[in-house]
Amino acid sequence: MFSRRIVNGALRPNASKSMISRAGAALPLARSYATPASSIDSKPPVAVYGLDGTYASALYTAAAKTSALDSASKALATLSDVFKKDPKLVVILTAPTLSPGDKSQIIQELQRHTGGQDKGDIVKNFLQTLAEHNRLGLLEGVCEKFGTLMGASRGEVDLTVISAAKLDDKTLKRLETAVGKSEYSQGKKLKVITKVNPDIKGGLIVEIGDRTIDLSVSSKISKMNKLLTDTL
């Protein structure tokens, strides 16, 4: 498992715990991306929010200017799959005790998964930038929001389905078809993203574009509690 290799390698007991200085770095993406600009529009197609969204947008621009969007997209999709298969990875990336050597080991492991997908080392340079400024913990969110940007560039819209337990393919297909026929899809191709959150207790939360349809049991309980409180 990926996290186990990291623990056995990068997070060894005698590893130095010195931290890289954070000085200067609000959005430190001025790494060696200075290659000739392509004719492709480098502006992100939609706005994505949060610090991970800011980094995802900056990576999109850098990759577009070097004609590396497709390869960067494949590399980040691979890393996104790693996060899904290994939940402990997030804990490791956000550890406050990571030394420069630890971070270097982590980047090497991540690169091992992306293989030859990373054209021009765009993603490698990006990972090094995150590591230098103690932002590796944002990587999972960056992967997700970069996927949103790529989908928007292809005329797709994200359909995020949050459930208390994993849904079967038949249920997801029925839901995708129903939403696709509704006004919410705006006639665009849907990109289905599934998430599991036991806290919603049951039902579904459906997010499409900037709209949210909350059909969760937890939401119904909350509304019922509010109604009882207001009545009493």
Side-chain angles (χ1 to χ4, degrees):
M1 206 174 206
F2 180 85
S3 59
R4 187 175 300 167
R5 288 198 300 273
I6 291 296
V7 169
N8 291 337
L11 299 181
R12 53 198 177 281
N14 61 347
S16 168
K17 300 304 178 185
S18 60
M19 300 297 291
I20 295 176
S21 171
R22 294 180 182 231
L27 263 184
L29 281 174
R31 181 168 279 278
S32 54
Y33 294 136
T35 53
S38 71
S39 59
I40 299 175
D41 184 5
S42 61
K43 182 179 179 181
V46 293
V48 286
Y49 302 99
L51 189 54
D52 51 1
T54 305
Y55 273 94
S57 296
L59 176 58
Y60 182 96
T61 297
K65 286 182 177 180
T66 54
S67 300
L69 275 176
D70 286 342
S71 59
S73 177
K74 291 176 182 177
L76 290 187
T78 298
L79 294 181
S80 182
D81 287 339
V82 173
F83 279 103
K84 292 176 182 177
K85 295 174 182 177
D86 194 350
K88 293 181 181 178
L89 180 56
V90 174
V91 178
I92 292 172
L93 295 185
T94 54
T97 54
L98 290 176
S99 71
D102 296 333
K103 294 171 185 177
S104 177
Q105 177 70 20
I106 288 171
I107 290 172
Q108 289 178 22
E109 287 290 341
L110 292 172
Q111 280 187 277
R112 199 176 69 80
H113 284 272
T114 58
Q117 297 171 326
D118 186 15
K119 178 182 177 182
D121 287 341
I122 286 288
V123 174
K124 175 186 176 182
N125 291 340
F126 179 74
L127 291 174
Q128 289 175 342
T129 297
L130 290 180
E132 287 169 6
H133 300 282
N134 303 315
R135 302 293 192 189
L136 280 173
L138 296 174
L139 182 56
E140 184 178 23
V142 170
C143 290
E144 180 179 335
K145 292 183 178 180
F146 191 88
T148 296
L149 294 174
M150 289 301 298
S153 72
R154 294 189 289 261
E156 300 172 350
V157 60
D158 283 357
L159 171 61
T160 303
V161 182
I162 305 171
S163 56
K166 185 177 180 180
L167 299 177
D168 60 75
D169 292 341
K170 184 177 180 180
T171 301
L172 282 173
K173 190 63 180 177
R174 287 173 59 192
L175 183 60
E176 180 182 2
T177 300
V179 175
K181 292 179 179 178
S182 72
E183 61 181 23
Y184 294 110
S185 69
Q186 302 174 355
K188 295 182 179 180
K189 181 180 179 181
L190 299 177
K191 178 185 176 183
V192 181
I193 301 170
T194 59
K195 296 182 179 181
V196 174
N197 181 4
D199 290 341
I200 72 171
K201 315 235 179 250
L204 298 172
I205 298 176
V206 179
E207 299 173 350
I208 179 166
D210 57 357
R211 300 188 181 188
T212 299
I213 305 169
D214 192 343
L215 303 173
S216 65
V217 172
S218 61
S219 175
K220 293 178 182 178
I221 292 174
S222 178
K223 290 176 182 177
M224 185 178 297
N225 287 339
K226 185 178 185 307
L227 179 61
L228 289 172
T229 301
D230 293 345
T231 303
L232 299 176

